[in-house]
Amino acid sequence: MEVIEADVVIVGGGPAGCTCALYTSRADLKTVVLDKNPSVGALAITHQIANYPGVSNEMSGEDLLTLMREQAIQYGTDYRRAQVFGIDIEGDWKTVYTPEGTYKGKALVLATGAMGRPASFKGEADFLGRGVSYCATCDGAFYRGKPVAVVGVNKEAIEEAKVLTKFASTVHWITSNEPNQEDFHVKDLLEQSNVKHWNKTRLMLIEGDDGGVTGIRVKQRSEDLEQNLSLEGVFVYMSGSKPITDFVGDQVAFKEDGGVVVDDFMSTTSEGVWAIGDIRNTPFKQAVVAASDGCIAAMAIDRYLNSRKSIRVDWVHS
Ligand SMILES: Cc1cc2nc3c(=O)[nH]c(=O)nc-3n(C[C@H](O)[C@H](O)[C@H](O)COP(=O)(O)OP(=O)(O)OC[C@H]3O[C@@H](n4cnc5c(N)ncnc54)[C@H](O)[C@@H]3O)c2cc1C
């Protein structure tokens, strides 16, 4: 599997991650951004962004994010779509794991936002890693020829369900609300011969035994009774407002509210690791605050990697 080395590896391509990448790239630091999906972060789903300085109040969050990402890429950032499932920060090189490859950075930046949620379906926590997954690209191949369920109606759920159609015998797609039937990706998914759509349906229970998940119980809005579906994998894509830190484990310190602890330079309690944006559970979650965090971390990283005593501002070009 591919191993890529960089000065700076940034996990998350929202306004925090893209701003950090813009600054580190402009400081001639080899920068890789690993982003699960550019359409599912908090800015990406913001319909209209009227309070980001300097941009038209007609602009959507997704368009603003595209501008930020393209600007970073223009200055040399290597942007890759990849879901990070683990890190190892022991030693000078920080290792980041994705299904497609391993990345090693002299500096690691955590910027995955706060669209996460605690496991809340009955059985979800019990079978996490034993049939319950949040990453089809990581785990899909384990379910070759087996029935699975995908729970959720957002873009990520739709894209991940499509990935699973390559492996699973049947993909039961459970949506509590009607998906947008005009959306190309929805149409494409529903046209797959191995997709069974359970519309206006709630997941009630994930069941299993020592070997892992054996089935789920669902309830359609129009029906009085719950139904049992026999399957081996359940992929859950629902968003909430909890910092996304599942891939971090206990390798940095957290506040009681789940946000990552940082100092004035966005440095975490672990040397060589920074955290920026909503992952800190900032009291004011705004795109401009996330971008500001990214700038601060980038300048601190430049100083750290170059062992400079003072921070060099980005606008001094000598
Ligand atoms: C509905 C809504 C409306 C909002 N409206 C406004 C507004 O009008 N003005 C304003 O200033 N702010 C607004 N905000 C807040 C603002 O969008 C956030 O504060 C900001 O986007 C946080 O930036 P971030 O980079 O920390 O996280 P995000 O924007 O959430 O980006 C995180 C990125 O990390 C990626 N990621 C997550 N997990 C992984 C993983 N394991 N591996 C790799 N990548 C991963 C995601 O795909 C995403 O691209 C709004 C938020 C919401 C939810």
Side-chain angles (χ1 to χ4, degrees):
M1 200 173 282
E2 204 181 10
V3 178
I4 289 160
E5 288 182 1
D7 294 314
V8 188
V9 177
I10 300 171
V11 186
C18 286
T19 306
C20 188
L22 170 66
Y23 275 78
T24 54
S25 294
R26 281 175 56 79
D28 277 346
L29 297 172
K30 186 180 174 197
T31 302
V32 177
V33 171
L34 302 169
D35 191 25
K36 172 173 83 161
N37 190 325
S39 305
V40 302
L43 183 58
I45 64 159
T46 301
H47 180 60
Q48 213 180 341
I49 179 124
N51 54 6
Y52 193 85
V55 304
S56 149
N57 57 6
E58 303 281 299
M59 189 173 275
S60 72
E62 191 160 20
D63 286 347
L64 175 60
L65 184 57
T66 302
L67 283 178
M68 292 179 177
R69 188 170 55 246
E70 284 175 354
Q71 194 179 5
I73 291 169
Q74 192 191 332
Y75 281 103
T77 295
D78 180 2
Y79 172 90
R80 296 175 181 229
R81 268 197 67 172
Q83 178 156 356
V84 172
F85 63 79
I87 60 173
D88 180 358
I89 61 169
E90 198 66 30
D92 289 344
W93 285 92
K94 314 300 172 195
T95 310
V96 177
Y97 301 100
T98 78
E100 296 83 11
T102 301
Y103 296 80
K104 286 180 178 287
K106 295 176 195 160
L108 170 63
V109 182
L110 311 174
T112 43
M115 297 285 287
R117 53 181 269 287
S120 52
F121 291 113
K122 269 193 196 161
E124 184 180 347
D126 301 333
F127 294 105
L128 191 56
R130 297 192 302 128
V132 173
S133 169
Y134 306 127
C135 178
T137 35
C138 310
D139 298 333
F142 296 131
Y143 298 93
R144 204 177 289 277
K146 296 171 181 167
V148 300
V150 171
V151 186
V153 74
N154 59 23
K155 280 188 181 169
E156 190 181 12
I158 295 162
E159 287 180 16
E160 295 277 278
K162 181 70 193 298
V163 169
L164 286 163
T165 60
K166 286 191 289 180
F167 303 106
S169 55
T170 306
V171 176
H172 294 279
W173 184 26
I174 320 279
T175 67
S176 52
N177 297 317
E178 176 94 41
N180 176 5
Q181 300 285 346
E182 299 303 310
D183 183 289
F184 163 79
H185 298 286
V186 170
K187 281 190 201 161
D188 180 43
L189 180 63
L190 293 174
E191 277 167 13
Q192 305 301 311
S193 57
N194 57 346
V195 170
K196 176 159 173 38
H197 184 202
W198 296 78
N199 198 12
K200 297 182 183 166
T201 300
R202 277 196 298 148
L203 173 63
M204 308 303 291
L205 173 68
I206 300 170
E207 313 182 278
D209 55 26
D210 289 348
V213 167
T214 55
I216 58 173
R217 218 179 288 164
V218 295
K219 184 172 178 308
Q220 286 178 291
R221 220 181 284 167
S222 55
E223 302 288 327
D224 290 333
L225 294 176
E226 294 179 5
Q227 294 180 64
N228 291 308
L229 304 180
S230 291
L231 44 80
E232 296 185 24
V234 185
F235 292 79
V236 183
Y237 300 100
M238 314 281 286
S239 39
S241 54
K242 189 176 160 284
I244 298 178
T245 55
D246 51 335
F247 64 96
V248 179
D250 58 2
Q251 299 182 74
V252 299
F254 295 97
K255 298 182 287 184
E256 260 178 36
D257 63 15
V260 176
V261 174
V262 295
D263 65 13
D264 286 351
F265 298 102
M266 304 297 143
S267 183
T268 68
T269 47
S270 299
E271 194 184 331
V273 184
W274 282 258
I276 54 177
D278 285 5
I279 194 172
R280 303 200 289 117
N281 222 353
T282 45
F284 305 112
K285 293 193 183 67
Q286 291 287 286
V288 70
V289 174
S292 161
D293 280 8
C295 163
I296 293 168
M299 288 187 163
I301 289 167
D302 187 33
R303 179 169 77 165
Y304 170 79
L305 292 180
N306 291 299
S307 300
R308 286 202 190 94
K309 289 212 167 55
S310 61
I311 289 189
R312 188 179 67 148
V313 289
D314 190 36
W315 40 265
V316 173
H317 303 289
S318 51

